[in-house]
Amino acid sequence: MKRFLALAVLFLATAICASAQYTKYYTVEQVGQEYPSLYMFQVDWNNKLFFLEGDKHNDGPIKNYKENGNTRTFDVWYAPSSGLNEKIYTVKFTTEEGGSYTMELDMGGEYKAVYKLSTTEPVSNRYDSGSASGSGSVNEKISEKAQAVKDAFGKGIDAIKKKTQEKKAEKAEKKAEEGKAK
């Protein structure tokens, strides 16, 4: 009996530890942009959760998941803890040959992005060495490129914040109208 209980506890602990198995993806390139606006994100394919680096509302649930060959399409929604029951964006995730991936991110408006991804964390980023033009110091070039990356990332975050604020304003208006109707 003791052996049975010990095995049950062991299996339960293993199941709990194995329940959140995230795969990390790193941006190699953002198509059409010199500097990618996204560096890293994680996906728990088993539990259908999506975690975007720097996101305040972690673990956005994946809904409308479809898999066709090497392509997965799904919608990422706000985490339940955010209080919003809205879709953030639609993702088309393609597994390429050689262990690389492509992710198309569509926010349903003007902001659409295509990322080339890898599961291997870069040892150093491609902005470390400066350019061969010889103008300016390497540190200045890195600083300029880092600022460009920060600006591009800020645009994406601003778009998400704007959409979140619009949704909250709509909810507040609906509640106010319902309150007046009563």
Side-chain angles (χ1 to χ4, degrees), residues 8-169:
V9 168
L10 177 67
F11 289 134
L12 180 62
T14 304
I16 290 171
C17 293
S19 66
Q21 296 181 354
Y22 284 99
T23 303
K24 288 185 179 181
Y25 296 95
Y26 300 92
T27 299
V28 175
E29 173 188 0
Q30 182 175 353
V31 177
Q33 299 291 324
E34 187 175 355
Y35 310 106
S37 62
L38 176 66
Y39 174 68
M40 186 272 300
F41 67 94
Q42 301 176 60
V43 178
D44 180 349
W45 294 112
N46 295 331
N47 294 319
K48 305 292 186 266
L49 297 171
F50 188 93
F51 175 81
L52 184 61
E53 174 190 36
D55 188 3
K56 292 179 184 174
H57 304 292
N58 301 335
D59 298 335
I62 292 174
K63 297 183 181 181
N64 302 323
Y65 178 86
K66 295 176 185 137
E67 191 168 346
N68 186 9
N70 65 341
T71 302
R72 303 173 186 185
T73 57
F74 53 89
D75 297 328
V76 177
W77 290 63
Y78 286 102
S81 63
S82 71
L84 297 172
N85 189 21
E86 301 289 334
K87 178 175 81 170
I88 304 172
Y89 36 74
T90 300
V91 176
K92 180 179 177 186
F93 191 91
T94 306
T95 304
E96 308 289 340
E97 290 184 20
S100 62
Y101 308 90
T102 301
M103 179 178 75
E104 297 177 32
L105 191 88
D106 181 359
M107 291 187 62
E110 296 177 20
Y111 187 75
K112 294 181 182 179
V114 178
Y115 298 95
K116 300 291 183 182
L117 309 169
S118 171
T119 54
T120 305
E121 184 173 9
V123 175
S124 64
N125 68 41
R126 63 184 175 150
Y127 313 115
D128 286 347
S129 62
S131 70
S133 68
S135 62
S137 73
V138 172
N139 286 339
E140 288 173 358
K141 291 175 187 171
I142 291 172
S143 178
E144 289 171 7
K145 291 178 181 182
Q147 184 61 42
V149 170
K150 184 178 176 182
D151 293 344
F153 185 71
K155 287 179 184 177
I157 294 297
D158 288 344
I160 291 172
K161 286 179 181 177
K162 182 179 178 184
K163 189 172 182 179
T164 302
Q165 289 172 348
E166 289 171 358
K167 297 295 181 182
K168 286 183 178 179

